[in-house]
Amino acid sequence: MSEMWTAKLRTKWQKELPIEKLLPDDQPAYVASWIYVFGVLTLSALAMIIASGIVLAFEGPAWYHTSDAGKFTNSMHFWSVQLFFVFMVIHLWGKFWMAAWRGNRFRTWATGAVAFISSIATAFTGYLVQTNFDSQWISFEAKDGFNSMGVGAFFNVTNLGQMLLLHVAFLPLILGVLTVVHVLMVRKRGVVPPIDAEPALSNRGPQ
Amino acid sequence: MSISKESKHAFDAAPWSGKTKRYDIVKEGTIALAVVAIFALFLSLLMGSPDETPLTFKGWAVSNPDNFYATTVQELAGTSGTATYGAPYNKGAEGLNVGPLWPQKWMGVTHPIDSVNDFVISPLSTQVMSTEIASAVATWKAAPDTQKQDWATAYDDAITKVEGKISDVPAGAYGPVPALAQGLTDMAKGGALDAALLSQGGFFQTDNTKQILFFGDGSYLDDAGTAANLQGGTWGMMNETGRYPGQAWLWLYSFWYQIPPFNNEESKPIGANADLYIMVLMGVMSAGLIFIPFIPGVKNLPMRIPIHRGIWRQYYDENGIKRRKK
């Protein structure tokens, strides 16, 4: 039984990320700043982006040009993206000034940083599939950078079909996986203790 | 109190065993989602979202027929931006390089574009043509390549000499080129070129590369970009049409295009290859972001600049913890 891959995975999961860590009902008392809110706000904005994006996907990229409901849904998508980046950048700066990679948390930092970069790529393809003047302009201008790297051979920003598929399928999948892994790592490792924290003070047990 | 580096690391890595407080993660997530939804709803209802109508070839040919006509001649003469671009469209140029690295050239022609046939002859051939245009197409197709080049180059040069004013071009040995250019201009004015460029005689098509590139060869798209404050030299990559926020998160990428030597195409090797240098630079900086925890100096900034004293003020105050000297 213990040799089964499934059993090994379950044992490892239960050891490293028990349900009490995944869905905690308490947290360190030092978590007492508004800066902590921006992580969950980023996740919430991402949820809004996905929800509005799914509605847009059902109706197609040109729907919002001709429909009031489409225009509203597109606006929700657009502003959720703007909020997402505002929250994420504040979250990122907050974590930098906390040196949140301390205590074996490099992978938490790295998955967050890669998720940030992936978000830029995902949003960029979104701007390319607006099917308006802006997407004409951006695709013409952006092609030179990608072509100069040789990336244009397989990532053609002037190909609406390719950009649309990447925007609604591949890139959200990458971003989604990174986000889930990032959040699980936060839950596993816990929130980094304050810089200058006194170890002696933390040995008193929960109070 | 002095703590060794190892002890500090072990302390930071260990599960927190000090003072805790109640935390309802599900409630927090629900409230956050509601707050964001209200914000997005408010902004959507108040501001809407950008939707500037796309440009069309009809709009170009009607508003500036001389420029469209002259661009068509450039496509035939092989002097347009697309015809002289290089990979991945053709072999019109070597592409950009950083030192011995020529990634653009190395990846080769993966999206072949023949500006003569794809932009001019094939779209014209999809139409019911007048006798004059049909004859011009037939003459062009039957002529040897050197003859075609001579006609188109002579006409392209003549248009350049009169600064693009087609009515001032003197008579010359231009063969069928004027008729072809006029035929395509008329086709664009009628609105048929947009679809013909996309479909290239087929049915299903989702690749707008040929349309976008042809647009970029003339002044119509460029002028519209300038009018909308979208040019790269003026932070345009961050901008959006109208009064909407654009991709502000591209500020660092856009920044490099504002300063020398990147903003000077005459400056070799960096300015002349700015697109590639900036992409490489941004790649290095992106890697730098990921690996900040290992970069000497940068990784210590949070300890040296005491912004953390504000973040964890309550903890420091309650426990009377002073800042340690770094």
Side-chain angles (χ1 to χ4, degrees):
Chain A
M1 179 77 174
S2 60
E3 294 302 311
M4 288 175 64
W5 291 7
T6 308
K8 281 184 177 176
L9 176 64
R10 184 179 61 232
T11 305
K12 185 175 170 62
W13 183 287
Q14 286 174 336
K15 182 184 170 194
E16 298 199 358
L17 193 59
I19 192 69
E20 293 79 14
K21 275 191 174 181
L22 196 60
L23 289 174
D25 52 18
D26 68 354
Q27 66 180 352
Y30 58 76
V31 181
S33 165
W34 278 100
I35 197 70
Y36 286 104
V37 172
F38 287 94
V40 70
L41 285 176
T42 307
L43 289 175
S44 300
L46 182 60
M48 292 295 298
I49 292 168
I50 293 169
S52 54
I54 287 171
V55 178
L56 289 172
F58 268 97
E59 297 291 344
W63 175 47
Y64 80 103
H65 299 307
T66 55
S67 157
D68 288 342
K71 179 82 173 173
F72 171 73
T73 311
N74 185 68
S75 301
M76 289 291 283
H77 197 64
F78 175 83
W79 286 109
S80 297
V81 170
Q82 295 291 335
L83 291 170
F84 172 76
F85 274 97
V86 169
F87 297 148
M88 184 164 48
V89 168
I90 296 172
H91 175 66
L92 182 62
W93 276 111
K95 293 303 162 188
F96 173 76
W97 291 113
M98 293 181 197
W101 51 80
R102 287 175 292 127
N104 292 338
R105 291 178 179 82
F106 168 68
R107 280 185 287 181
T108 312
W109 169 269
T111 50
V114 177
F116 174 65
I117 296 163
S118 302
S119 301
I120 291 175
T122 311
F124 172 70
T125 52
Y127 275 81
L128 290 172
V129 301
Q130 294 176 99
T131 58
N132 60 11
F133 165 64
D134 201 36
S135 50
Q136 286 178 317
W137 176 260
I138 294 172
S139 59
F140 180 75
E141 290 292 301
K143 74 181 190 313
D144 298 331
F146 291 102
N147 287 341
S148 72
M149 292 277 287
V151 175
F154 52 86
F155 184 81
N156 180 11
V157 294
T158 53
N159 184 334
L160 175 67
Q162 186 190 23
M163 291 303 110
L164 186 60
L165 287 171
L166 291 175
H167 181 68
V168 303
F170 179 69
L171 290 168
L173 180 67
I174 298 290
L175 180 57
V177 168
L178 284 167
T179 304
V180 169
V181 172
H182 180 69
V183 170
L184 291 179
M185 284 182 169
V186 172
R187 300 292 3 130
K188 180 186 168 189
R189 292 281 175 203
V191 186
V192 72
I195 296 169
D196 294 341
E198 286 292 350
L201 289 170
S202 69
N203 292 328
R204 298 176 189 165
Q207 295 173 29
Chain B
M1 188 187 296
S2 175
I3 308 170
S4 71
K5 207 173 174 181
E6 290 73 24
S7 302
K8 185 74 175 74
H9 176 77
F11 169 70
D12 287 341
W16 180 253
S17 56
K19 190 176 175 183
T20 61
K21 61 181 181 182
R22 279 167 53 95
Y23 175 46
D24 191 339
I25 193 171
V26 174
K27 187 177 178 182
E28 180 191 73
T30 307
I31 292 172
L33 185 60
V35 168
V36 174
I38 290 168
F39 263 104
L41 186 67
F42 177 74
L43 287 164
S44 299
L45 293 174
L46 190 72
M47 305 280 287
S49 51
D51 190 17
E52 197 78 26
T53 308
L55 304 180
T56 63
F57 285 92
K58 180 178 182 178
W60 179 10
V62 168
S63 66
N64 195 347
D66 275 7
N67 180 255
F68 181 87
Y69 186 103
T71 305
T72 303
V73 175
Q74 288 175 4
E75 305 297 359
L76 291 168
T79 57
S80 68
T82 300
T84 58
Y85 192 89
Y89 312 122
N90 49 48
K91 294 183 176 175
E94 294 273 49
L96 306 188
N97 73 297
V98 169
L101 306 176
W102 295 79
Q104 187 171 357
K105 185 170 73 173
W106 290 343
M107 291 305 285
V109 178
T110 51
H111 306 295
I113 292 181
D114 169 1
S115 68
V116 174
N117 289 307
D118 292 341
F119 290 174
V120 185
I121 304 300
S122 293
L124 275 175
S125 302
T126 63
Q127 304 297 298
V128 177
M129 293 176 278
S130 67
T131 311
E132 183 193 1
I133 305 300
S135 170
V137 170
T139 304
W140 177 269
K141 285 182 175 174
D145 287 345
T146 51
Q147 178 67 77
K148 291 177 187 171
Q149 191 64 52
D150 289 345
W151 285 331
T153 302
Y155 198 40
D156 188 27
D157 289 345
I159 292 173
T160 304
K161 274 183 189 163
V162 297
E163 297 178 342
K165 195 172 180 190
I166 305 301
S167 58
D168 289 352
V169 177
Y174 310 133
V177 176
L180 293 173
Q182 191 58 53
L184 200 73
T185 305
D186 291 342
M187 182 181 171
K189 281 180 178 174
L193 184 58
D194 296 85
L197 272 174
L198 177 65
S199 69
Q200 294 286 321
F203 186 80
F204 290 110
Q205 181 55 272
T206 59
D207 185 352
N208 298 80
T209 302
K210 286 168 184 166
Q211 293 165 298
I212 296 288
L213 290 184
F214 193 172
F215 255 135
D217 288 339
S219 65
Y220 191 53
L221 179 67
D222 197 56
D223 291 346
T226 302
N229 194 29
L230 295 175
Q231 292 287 357
T234 54
W235 299 88
M237 274 167 249
M238 293 169 56
N239 296 344
E240 173 59 272
T241 53
R243 59 202 173 106
Y244 296 96
Q247 301 180 80
W249 42 91
L250 294 181
W251 72 270
L252 186 55
Y253 182 74
S254 196
F255 164 75
W256 301 112
Y257 284 94
Q258 317 306 315
I259 61 168
F262 302 105
N263 64 352
N264 180 9
E265 288 183 16
E266 305 301 319
S267 170
K268 292 181 179 176
I270 296 177
N273 295 282
D275 286 326
L276 182 52
Y277 272 89
I278 290 172
M279 285 297 249
V280 171
L281 193 57
M282 290 306 295
V284 171
M285 295 189 82
S286 297
L289 173 68
I290 297 166
F291 292 103
I292 276 178
F294 300 105
I295 300 175
V298 180
K299 69 176 181 180
N300 296 323
L301 279 176
M303 284 61 128
R304 293 182 189 283
I305 301 173
I307 291 174
H308 59 272
R309 298 297 301 187
I311 294 172
W312 290 303
R313 179 183 300 158
Q314 188 177 319
Y315 170 82
Y316 295 132
D317 289 349
E318 281 181 359
N319 295 287
I321 297 173
K322 304 290 181 195
R323 190 175 167 224
R324 288 201 193 97
K325 287 185 178 176
K326 307 298 174 196

